[in-house]
Amino acid sequence: MMTKNSPRSDLLMLVLFSAAILTMPIWLAPIGAGYPDLLQKFAIFGLFALGFNLLFGLTGYLSFGHAVFLGVGSYAAVWSFKLLGMNPLPALLFSVVFSSLFAVAIGYISLRRSGIYFSILTLAFAQMSYNLAYSVLTPITNGETGLRVLQSDPRLFDSSSEASGPLISNLFGIEMTGYSGFYFCAVLLIIGFYISQRIFRSPFGMMLRAVKSNQNRMSYTGLNTRPYTLTAFVISGMFAGVAGSLLAVTDPLAGAERMQWTASGEVVLMTILGGAGTLLGPILGAGLIKYFENIFSAYNEQTLHAIFSFLPDFMEGPVVSLASLFVGEGWHLTLGLLFMVIVIFLPGGIMEGFNRITKMFRRKPSRVGKGTGHSHSPASANAAE
């Protein structure tokens, strides 16, 4: 029989996850989410949340500044395009290297503290990085205008190309736009999911869970937990750096706004909404938030009038007025209400809801005594329980 965390069950989960990701253009089309730009965001921010979950979900360390690695990954990728060429593979390598270096530096200092003090330190580093990118480091980041690839850039390996118009990243002639860009991001998301799955099942993952459970008790036994937490912090930062590079791969532009505290807060919401400490939860949370951001925010009064046109005139106006509070510019209200419901009734996120439903269907019926109509006494019933 296949156990819950057996290699066979993990392989089955990976296969099903890969199939679901690769077929998203098909099964998301009926709800209006099957177009390439949104699919790319699903994959990119799913990878971002997946990496953040390795830190927060396993160790319990809540970082409020994880967007700094997203920004560093974007800047590193664009500089790779400017210096080497529009191939995304060197851009990914640049992003991993620089995001990991930043993660080592920030994590080495921040992990000297835990709890809210760690969170404040990471937020401070993120805000400092944002201000540096916005003003002081303008020669490197191009300030508020943002860093983009220009025709005049060296581009050592493809500068001889006579491309006219916007420069687009391409992998051996395949442009990273549209569905091609999505599938490139999707493959990296699947690889990230596999790495995350291996970490969850490894002794290293067990150590991280032990840190979350009771770090002080582990320290009393003489075990130094800092190498484990720092490693988790660096791996999480690398995931964020890859996500940032994918933002630049699909749109060769990097801006300081990707380092803002709001971007860090967004990945926290994604992880909690989906279910921190689970494999699939952060990806579901990222998809849900990006769906609300791109679909619900696009609804206007004209769209709502078309939706509720079946109502009588005296009802259509009030219903549209009420619904308009929760869509368009008010989509954050809908997301906030949904987040409140999840946190209050499902503290474990969406995955807890799925687990509850699964247990309801798997629950075995209570045993009934064998015999020819003899009834059980209360004592025998209690004994059976």
Side-chain angles (χ1 to χ4, degrees), residues 77-260:
V78 175
W79 271 109
S80 172
F81 294 146
K82 292 171 74 69
L83 297 176
L84 301 180
M86 301 305 294
N87 192 316
L89 297 182
L92 288 171
L93 180 61
F94 267 52
S95 300
V96 168
V97 170
F98 281 96
S99 61
S100 61
L101 291 176
F102 267 74
V104 169
I106 294 174
Y108 183 80
I109 298 173
S110 301
L111 289 168
R112 293 176 177 272
R113 295 292 180 265
S114 59
I116 189 62
Y117 304 104
F118 167 81
S119 301
I120 292 173
L121 279 172
T122 55
L123 177 62
F125 274 113
Q127 286 303 105
M128 285 191 294
S129 300
Y130 166 73
N131 287 307
L132 287 172
Y134 198 79
S135 56
V136 179
L137 298 179
T138 299
I140 298 176
T141 63
N142 206 27
E144 62 181 5
T145 306
L147 188 68
R148 62 173 65 247
V149 188
L150 305 174
Q151 293 286 354
S152 57
D153 291 328
R155 302 201 320 278
L156 297 177
F157 298 114
D158 64 3
S159 59
S160 59
S161 61
E162 299 179 357
S164 58
L167 292 165
I168 300 172
S169 63
N170 64 86
L171 181 63
F172 308 120
I174 303 174
E175 292 187 348
M176 295 292 99
T177 57
Y179 287 110
S180 300
F182 159 68
Y183 281 111
F184 183 76
C185 299
V187 169
L188 288 174
L189 175 60
I190 292 170
I191 294 172
F193 181 82
Y194 175 75
I195 294 172
S196 180
Q197 189 182 56
R198 292 298 91 212
I199 291 174
F200 265 66
R201 306 294 187 240
S202 68
F204 173 66
M206 292 296 293
M207 288 296 298
L208 297 181
R209 287 191 182 91
V211 169
K212 183 178 181 179
S213 176
N214 197 325
Q215 186 174 2
N216 289 332
R217 183 176 296 177
M218 294 181 67
S219 300
Y220 291 152
T221 64
L223 180 66
N224 184 9
T225 60
R226 283 196 65 194
Y228 295 97
T229 54
L230 180 59
T231 302
F233 190 89
V234 172
I235 294 173
S236 182
M238 290 167 62
F239 269 70
V242 172
S245 71
L246 291 177
L247 288 174
V249 166
T250 53
D251 182 16
L253 173 68
E257 70 280 353
R258 289 177 183 169
M259 292 183 172
Q260 274 188 307

